[in-house]
């Protein structure tokens, strides 16, 4: 589950990580109130207005703007709230901005120039350990740094038993070229950041930029936080932060119906029981020249009601031109599933206008095929896996 920047920063702050302070607002009047309150609390007289969407690259897309007066806070917020913000990470049509974060300006001039660093915490799947990834080259183009000058990105792996050690925190701060008060601040920053990561069961923290202010404070200016969905049951407070407006509508609906569904770009809808079979079904569709439109694991109880829900969800995707149902009857009997498919099809009246290819294999597969063939419905049955994929290919032509 992704958090918004403002939610991620509040989470970090609750673990003692210093952040650029801000207040979220969903209209320009509240934005001005937020700016006034920040002025009182922090003494700032400039603000930065930041679109809150689940995508990075907002700066490049015009979703992050500096305001030098309350009037500017008002007009900038009015422009940004409600806009379809396009960034390199959004879908082509952009994402609708529902709220802005009004934050204190932390790039004020002083004895030094402000410096932007990059820091993330994530799992290294190759070693099975968390690592801190960091670079002096923070700011808006870390992807470019990773591509052109990867040697400027450092990693520090962390032993899961003993956690981030003080010498590691010091090494990170030294490698970032820090000394004196800023070095001490960075040690505290990375130590509390790592604690926050572990305690909140996060799968990704990305703080870009981490800023050294002109008066040597270290703070998080941005935050990308992803919490492991499988751990949300023990983080009720974090689970509440979910913003469904930011998520794929069909996936939200499928999850609410207890279906394991992932939306994809192709044209062949898949309804499969078991995640492994679902993956191989997607592979076979691709090998036969089609493109899967989704991953869908209907689970063990593929009864009429569940099959109907699954059909309705698959059909919400306008790109779907055919549906492949691939069920292995192990615990569930194929004839039951076949009856479920027939009932669902009939229940749906004329909602199904595209070809459906059904492959049922396992217990009572023969009876199942007979049921489908005798149903008189526009359903194509197949016995072998490859045969099913070939039939999909045929109907797509
Ligand atoms: P992203 O583009 O979605 O990653 O959004 P960020 O939160 O990283 O902000 C983009 C850029 O806005 C940063 O890299 C900074 O250069 C700039 N920025 C952020 N906060 C401030 C601020 O307080 N003052 C000024 N002048 N610029 C800021
Ligand atoms: Mn950023």
């Amino acid at each position: 589950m992704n958090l918004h920047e403002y939610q991620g920063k509040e989470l970090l702050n609750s673990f003692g990580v210093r952040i650029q302070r801000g207040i979220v607002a969903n209209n320009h009047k509240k934005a001005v109130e937020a700016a006034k309150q920040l002025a009182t609390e922090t003494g700032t007289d400039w603000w930065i207005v930041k679109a809150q969407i689940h995508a990075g690259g907002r700066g490049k897309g015009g979703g992050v703007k500096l305001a030098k007066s309350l009037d500017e806070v008002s007009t900038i917020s009015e422009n940004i709230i409600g806009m379809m913000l396009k960034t390199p990470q959004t879908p082509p049509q952009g994402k609708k901005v529902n709220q802005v974060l009004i934050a204190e300006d932390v790039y004020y001039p002083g004895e030094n120039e402000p410096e932007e660093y990059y820091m993330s915490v994530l799992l290294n799947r190759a070693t099975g350990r968390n690592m801190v990834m960091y670079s002096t080259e923070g700011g808006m183009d870390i992807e470019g740094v990773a591509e052109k000058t990867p040697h400027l990105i450092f990693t520090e792996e962390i032993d899961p038993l003993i956690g981030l050690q003080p010498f590691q925190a010091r090494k990170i701060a030294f490698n970032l070229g820090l000394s004196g008060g800023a070095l001490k601040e960075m040690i505290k920053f990375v130590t509390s950041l790592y604690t926050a990561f572990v305690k909140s069961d996060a799968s990704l923290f990305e703080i870009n930029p981490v800023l050294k202010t002109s008066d040597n404070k270290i703070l998080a200016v941005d935050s990308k936080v992803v919490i492991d969905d499988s751990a949300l049951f023990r983080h009720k407070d974090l689970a509440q932060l979910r913003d469904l407006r930011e998520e794929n509508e069909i996936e939200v609906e499928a999850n609410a119906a207890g279906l394991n569904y992932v939306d994809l770009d192709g044209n062949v809808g898949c309804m499969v029981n078991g995640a492994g079979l679902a993956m191989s079904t997607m592979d076979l569709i691709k090998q036969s020249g089609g493109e899967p439109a989704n991953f869908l694991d209907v689970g063990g109880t593929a009864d009429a009601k569940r099959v109907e829900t699954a059909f309705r969800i698959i059909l919400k995707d306008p790109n779907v031109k055919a549906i492949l149902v691939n069920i292995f009857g192990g615990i569930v009997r194929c004839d039951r599933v076949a009856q479920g498919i027939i009932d669902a099809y009939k229940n749906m009246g004329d909602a199904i206008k595209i070809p459906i290819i059904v492959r049922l294999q396992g217990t009572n597969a023969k009876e199942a095929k007979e049921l489908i063939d005798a149903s008189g419905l526009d359903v194509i049955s197949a016995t072998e896996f490859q045969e099913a994929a070939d039939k999909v290919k045929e109907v797509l032509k």
Side-chain angles (χ1 to χ4, degrees), residues 22-81:
I23 299 170
V24 74
N26 59 9
N27 66 52
H28 65 282
K29 292 212 172 88
K30 286 189 192 154
V32 172
E33 289 313 308
K36 283 185 190 158
Q37 191 182 328
L38 278 174
T40 319
E41 289 175 12
T42 68
T44 193
D45 49 5
W46 287 3
W47 301 266
I48 189 106
V49 182
K50 312 181 78 178
Q52 298 298 288
I53 55 168
H54 286 185
R58 296 162 302 164
K60 283 181 188 161
V64 177
K65 292 248 154 74
L66 186 66
K68 300 185 179 177
S69 68
L70 290 173
D71 274 349
E72 284 184 15
V73 169
S74 178
T75 47
I76 294 171
S77 302
E78 201 172 2
N79 286 338
I80 293 183
I81 296 170

Side-chain angles (χ1 to χ4, degrees), residues 130-143:
N130 290 330
M131 60 186 176
V132 176
M133 195 180 272
Y134 60 103
S135 175
T136 50
E137 310 303 299
M140 288 202 275
D141 196 30
I142 192 68
E143 289 79 9

Side-chain angles (χ1 to χ4, degrees), residues 129-132 134 156-174 186-192 194-195 198:
R129 291 175 175 220
N130 290 330
M131 60 186 176
V132 176
Y134 60 103
E156 187 67 26
E157 287 222 354
I158 293 138
D159 186 308
L161 279 181
I162 52 178
L164 179 79
Q165 294 298 290
F167 81 89
Q168 294 183 297
R170 283 197 297 275
K171 180 171 153 200
I172 292 170
F174 275 123
M186 182 58 84
I187 292 171
K188 180 163 176 277
F189 184 94
V190 60
T191 305
S192 21
Y194 189 71
T195 304
V198 173

Side-chain angles (χ1 to χ4, degrees), residues 20 48 50 56-59 64 66 104-107 116 140 208-209 221-222:
Q20 173 193 43
I48 189 106
K50 312 181 78 178
R58 296 162 302 164
V64 177
L66 186 66
E104 58 174 331
D105 170 36
V106 285
Y107 285 61
E116 295 180 319
M140 288 202 275
N208 186 28
V221 166
D222 192 5

Side-chain angles (χ1 to χ4, degrees), residues 212-347:
K212 181 174 78 146
T213 60
S214 59
D215 51 355
N216 295 323
K217 290 197 198 86
I218 301 292
L219 47 84
V221 166
D222 192 5
S223 86
K224 173 169 181 162
V225 169
V226 183
I227 307 290
D228 184 345
D229 287 322
S230 306
L232 282 176
F233 73 94
R234 56 183 183 195
H235 297 285
K236 299 275 186 297
D237 48 336
L238 294 178
Q240 280 180 359
L241 301 179
R242 174 158 247 148
D243 185 349
L244 293 176
R245 293 171 298 185
E246 294 289 329
E247 297 182 18
N248 180 303
E249 252 176 69
I250 310 180
E251 287 180 8
V252 170
E253 209 183 312
N255 287 344
L259 296 169
N260 213 335
Y261 174 96
V262 181
D263 201 27
L264 300 168
D265 296 331
N267 52 4
V268 182
C270 323
M271 189 193 308
V272 189
N273 66 339
L277 187 58
M279 304 278 267
S280 34
T281 304
M282 288 159 57
D283 282 352
L284 206 75
I285 289 173
K286 238 185 134 95
Q287 275 177 21
S288 312
E291 286 287 336
N294 64 275
F295 167 96
L296 171 59
D297 173 9
V298 281
T301 52
D303 55 20
K305 195 155 169 288
R306 228 171 144 71
V307 170
E308 183 176 336
T309 313
F311 272 137
R312 289 193 190 278
I313 281 169
I314 293 174
L315 289 169
K316 277 180 191 275
D317 178 347
N319 299 326
V320 172
K321 297 289 178 282
I323 299 178
L324 172 56
V325 181
N326 190 10
I327 304 276
F328 176 74
I331 296 168
V332 58
R333 273 168 37 198
C334 289
D335 54 329
R336 285 255 177 91
V337 179
Q339 197 56 52
I341 293 169
I342 296 165
D343 292 348
Y345 202 109
K346 285 187 177 150
N347 267 342

Side-chain angles (χ1 to χ4, degrees), residues 155 258 319 349 363:
T155 57
N319 299 326
T363 311

